[in-house]
Amino acid sequence: MCGILAVLGCSDDSQAKRVRVLELSRRLKHRGPDWSGLYQHGDNYLAHQRLAVIDPASGDQPLYNEDQTVVVTVNGEIYNHEELRKNLTGHKFRTGSDCDVIAHLYEEHGENFVDMLDGMFSFVLLDTRNNTYIVARDAIGITSLYIGWGLDGSVWISSELKGLNDDCEHFEVFPPGHLYSSKTGGFRRWYNPPWFSEAIPSTPYDPLVLRRAFEKAVIKRLMTDVPFGVLLSGGLDSSLVASITARHLVGTKAAKQWGAQLHSFCVGLEGSPDLKAAREVADYLGTVHHEFHFTVQDGIDAIEDVIYHIETYDVTTIRASTPMFLMSRKIKSLGVKMVISGEGSDEIFGGYLYFHKAPNKEEFHQETCRKIKALHQYDCLRANKSTSAWGLEARVPFLDKEFINVAMSVDPEAKMINMDQKRIEKWILRRAFDDEEHPYLPKHILYRQKEQFSDGVGYSWIDGLKAHAELHVTDKMMLHAEHIFPHNTPVTKEAYYYRMIFERFFPQNSAKLTVPGGASIACSTAKAIEWDASWSNNLDPSGRAALGVHNAAYKNTGSNGSVKLAPNMIDNVPRMMDISPSGFVIHS
């Protein structure tokens, strides 16, 4: 992932302002360590920190049209760029970069071209002929983006909060699927899929249609000019991504450049569920598997860095981001610059364990719609920033626009969980890849129960975080929490601990408003808590909080956020005192 920063209409074209923009752009250097660029046109500045994945030799930014009157700085990947190039007859491209098509599409179609882009992206386009600009973010918000406003009338755009929080009077999350135009001074939504209205679809479930759509989504993400691999937790989603990638890698340009044997990566505490399952899947698929171990103390030591890079105080996101942040550093050290990951499936198919309690297909479907719309605040934020903190790009095929349309058009009755019929969560996805003749995965992996990433890396990880917060946040501090933090007041010591760190890095009122809040059970929205009356007394984003559903569920939760474990899980949880403090161990 690259880093973009733009300051537009700042009424200051001095050298001092240019130096300040460069200084702020360097705060994003971790996202793009390969090259940096800055374009100035009057009082407009477009800066870029590049991670070179496509056309590393000549794709430096900003990018231009033929006469350099249209200037673009962009973060992302445009998977259909070759097709778009063919349709842009009469245009001359300066580079082989996939993002080079954006300026030329604007010349042909004005502001109405964004929906033609198939990929993940956020960009700023400046038309120097009339001094206007547009800003756009991809459909789901896979790439991170923020917008801010200065007292001088300037508009600021940055891939991360840290690029603008010190210089703007107000800033906020740039909404996914939207375009901001200087001509109107406001936003408009360019992404308008059928599912967005939350109307209940009725297309019959066809496993082969679903399978082909997802295979297509994975295959298009094999576009790369650099070494890559897959993140493999051993759960359904990442295992399917790995299986499809391994099947289709041979014969691709990537295989010719870097070899046809796929590399896979997993992280976890010693003895964690994910490590065991991932190792088994890797052996089955024949990948070159890299297993990274971390200790609870390793994770705790990284918390401040994680909050600085992820830019959130959301408990779920921090729990899951920390192992991914540690793993990304190790992956990058091996020379890998891009990974394919499995985010998004649980939102589309109702894979979180609380969906077991969905009362009917209408509420099931509406909850999946709400979850997809909120992805940019949670899993997309984690996947994007945990990896880009170390100059690594994450691609997410489940969030392919075409695939989402196919999956969200299926009658949600087929997605409903029905244990009497042996239909567990994400049954329609599992069934689509249950091929007896040419199996994608071992049966027990294909039908493995959902583990949230922060649980799957090792159950004692979350328990360790809670114990650490207990040492740093007193009962007296919690007593006054609503006065210290009136917005999104932390209700557990763990949440209070993260909030203190976040506000030290990002003290502005606008910053705290960029983080979502509200009650949650096992990653649910607040609305879904109504599905089970007992959940209101057990609010925790861990999958183990789904009482009566998770095989290793919490028995109950104390008022201070401490937990007691159900008898069926005590013997299966690696205890903190048994974990080696030695740090990472790598098995390649």
Side-chain angles (χ1 to χ4, degrees):
M1 283 293 166
C2 303
I4 64 172
L5 176 69
V7 185
L8 304 155
C10 61
S11 304
D12 184 353
D13 59 359
S14 67
Q15 181 63 22
K17 190 65 175 184
R18 184 181 178 91
V19 170
R20 177 59 177 164
V21 174
L22 282 170
E23 178 187 349
L24 294 172
S25 179
R26 281 193 287 270
R27 294 185 183 181
L28 309 178
K29 197 170 185 178
H30 53 275
R31 299 182 65 91
D34 297 333
W35 190 255
S36 59
L38 174 62
Y39 174 87
Q40 180 182 356
H41 177 75
D43 61 355
N44 298 302
Y45 301 83
L46 273 63
H48 189 265
Q49 300 288 342
R50 187 185 185 208
L51 178 67
V53 176
I54 302 296
D55 187 23
S58 67
D60 296 335
Q61 296 192 33
L63 299 166
Y64 307 91
N65 65 339
E66 291 87 347
D67 61 5
Q68 299 192 28
T69 56
V70 178
V71 191
V72 181
T73 181
V74 56
N75 167 36
E77 304 293 344
I78 310 301
Y79 302 120
N80 64 334
H81 74 104
E82 292 183 351
E83 176 187 341
L84 292 171
R85 282 173 185 259
K86 292 176 183 176
N87 294 329
L88 287 165
T89 55
H91 288 263
K92 293 183 180 179
F93 297 91
R94 293 173 169 269
T95 76
S97 169
D98 53 295
C99 297
D100 211 353
V101 297
I102 293 175
H104 302 281
L105 286 170
Y106 171 77
E107 287 186 296
E108 291 288 331
H109 304 282
E111 296 182 355
N112 300 314
F113 71 90
V114 182
D115 199 26
M116 299 178 186
L117 301 175
D118 182 6
M120 54 178 183
F121 55 83
S122 48
F123 67 81
V124 180
L125 182 150
L126 175 66
D127 188 338
T128 64
R129 295 169 297 190
N130 54 17
N131 214 37
T132 62
Y133 59 86
I134 60 172
V135 186
R137 188 180 183 189
D138 66 64
I140 304 299
I142 301 168
T143 60
S144 58
L145 196 65
Y146 298 85
I147 183 170
W149 293 267
L151 285 173
D152 59 359
S154 57
V155 175
W156 294 61
I157 303 294
S158 178
S159 295
E160 297 186 2
L161 275 180
K162 60 184 67 68
L164 51 69
N165 67 303
D166 288 334
D167 291 70
C168 291
E169 185 67 14
H170 174 74
F171 51 88
E172 59 192 48
V173 174
F174 193 103
H178 280 71
L179 178 145
Y180 181 92
S181 171
S182 64
K183 293 178 181 177
T184 61
F187 295 98
R188 65 177 173 86
R189 186 153 57 89
W190 63 263
Y191 179 55
N192 297 284
W195 63 266
F196 212 85
S197 68
E198 302 184 12
I200 310 304
S202 58
T203 303
Y205 167 56
D206 185 329
L208 288 181
V209 169
L210 192 66
R211 181 199 295 184
R212 289 166 186 153
F214 187 57
E215 287 191 310
K216 183 179 177 182
V218 173
I219 292 167
K220 72 173 68 170
R221 282 159 179 80
L222 302 183
M223 177 187 82
T224 179
D225 292 329
V226 297
F228 82 103
V230 294
L231 302 186
L232 179 60
S233 70
L236 173 67
D237 308 327
S238 65
S239 297
L240 283 179
V241 169
S243 178
I244 295 167
T245 303
R247 284 192 180 206
H248 295 279
L249 183 58
V250 177
T252 64
K253 179 183 175 182
K256 292 173 183 176
Q257 285 184 288
W258 309 109
Q261 191 170 16
L262 181 64
H263 286 250
S264 56
F265 307 95
C266 185
V267 66
L269 301 175
E270 191 77 51
S272 69
D274 279 1
L275 290 180
K276 180 177 180 294
R279 200 177 305 127
E280 184 176 359
V281 174
D283 289 344
Y284 182 82
L285 299 177
T287 69
V288 179
H289 192 55
H290 308 264
E291 185 176 285
F292 306 143
H293 296 179
F294 77 105
T295 68
V296 172
Q297 191 60 53
D298 290 328
I300 289 171
D301 290 344
I303 288 293
E304 291 204 10
D305 285 341
V306 168
I307 292 174
Y308 174 75
H309 280 286
I310 310 303
E311 302 177 324
T312 188
Y313 52 82
D314 175 68
V315 171
T316 317
T317 306
I318 294 169
R319 288 175 177 180
S321 293
T322 303
M324 195 170 191
F325 175 86
L326 296 171
M327 175 172 58
S328 296
R329 186 176 192 178
K330 288 294 183 180
I331 292 173
K332 186 60 184 291
S333 74
L334 299 176
V336 173
K337 296 177 75 172
M338 185 271 282
V339 290
I340 307 178
S341 190
E343 279 76 15
S345 172
D346 292 311
E347 287 73 15
I348 295 168
F349 295 105
Y352 293 109
L353 297 183
Y354 73 89
F355 275 94
H356 280 249
K357 299 296 183 77
N360 52 58
K361 73 176 186 178
E362 290 80 13
E363 290 206 38
F364 189 107
H365 179 73
Q366 288 163 0
E367 176 71 358
T368 61
C369 293
R370 290 191 292 267
K371 290 293 291 180
I372 296 171
K373 292 174 184 178
L375 264 169
H376 68 285
Q377 298 176 301
Y378 297 101
D379 283 20
C380 287
L381 185 82
R382 166 180 56 79
N384 180 276
K385 292 183 179 178
S386 296
T387 52
S388 63
W390 302 107
L392 182 68
E393 176 176 288
R395 298 180 180 177
V396 283
F398 278 109
L399 299 182
D400 180 86
K401 281 196 302 180
E402 291 181 42
F403 177 72
I404 292 176
N405 285 342
V406 170
M408 293 301 289
S409 69
V410 175
D411 186 334
E413 185 66 39
K415 296 181 181 179
M416 290 283 286
I417 297 159
N418 188 325
M419 300 308 291
D420 292 336
Q421 298 179 18
K422 297 183 179 180
R423 283 170 43 174
I424 64 172
E425 65 277 356
K426 294 186 287 194
W427 175 83
I428 67 168
L429 180 63
R430 302 174 196 271
R431 178 67 186 87
F433 287 91
D434 194 349
D435 188 329
E436 296 287 350
E437 292 186 14
H438 305 286
Y440 286 79
L441 294 168
K443 284 273 190 182
H444 64 283
I445 295 291
L446 191 62
Y447 290 94
R448 181 190 178 199
Q449 186 181 55
K450 164 68 184 171
E451 288 281 10
Q452 288 165 207
F453 184 57
S454 52
D455 287 331
V457 296
Y459 294 141
S460 58
W461 165 234
I462 292 176
D463 300 339
L465 286 173
K466 292 182 176 183
H468 181 73
E470 189 79 27
L471 297 174
H472 289 81
V473 180
T474 66
D475 292 341
K476 185 176 181 180
M477 293 163 73
M478 290 300 297
L479 188 64
H480 301 296
E482 63 182 311
H483 303 295
I484 302 298
F485 305 115
H487 176 74
N488 282 347
T489 302
V491 295
T492 67
K493 291 184 176 182
E494 184 185 6
Y496 194 108
Y497 178 65
Y498 299 153
R499 185 65 170 272
M500 289 192 299
I501 298 171
F502 176 87
E503 295 213 1
R504 179 155 35 91
F505 290 130
F506 308 104
Q508 299 85 1
N509 187 59
S510 290
K512 70 188 70 171
L513 298 178
T514 64
V515 181
S520 177
I521 181 76
C523 287
S524 75
T525 66
K527 176 68 175 174
I529 293 174
E530 299 172 7
W531 295 350
D532 190 312
S534 67
W535 286 349
S536 61
N537 298 317
N538 193 54
L539 298 177
D540 190 285
S542 168
R544 289 184 291 158
L547 300 179
V549 177
H550 196 289
N551 292 334
Y554 292 142
K555 185 176 181 181
N556 56 54
T557 304
S559 59
N560 64 354
S562 62
V563 299
K564 294 181 180 179
L565 303 180
N568 65 333
M569 76 171 287
I570 291 175
D571 294 335
N572 297 322
V573 178
R575 305 319 303 160
M576 286 178 61
M577 65 285 290
D578 295 331
I579 296 172
S580 167
S582 59
F584 279 104
V585 180
I586 304 176
H587 302 291
S588 296

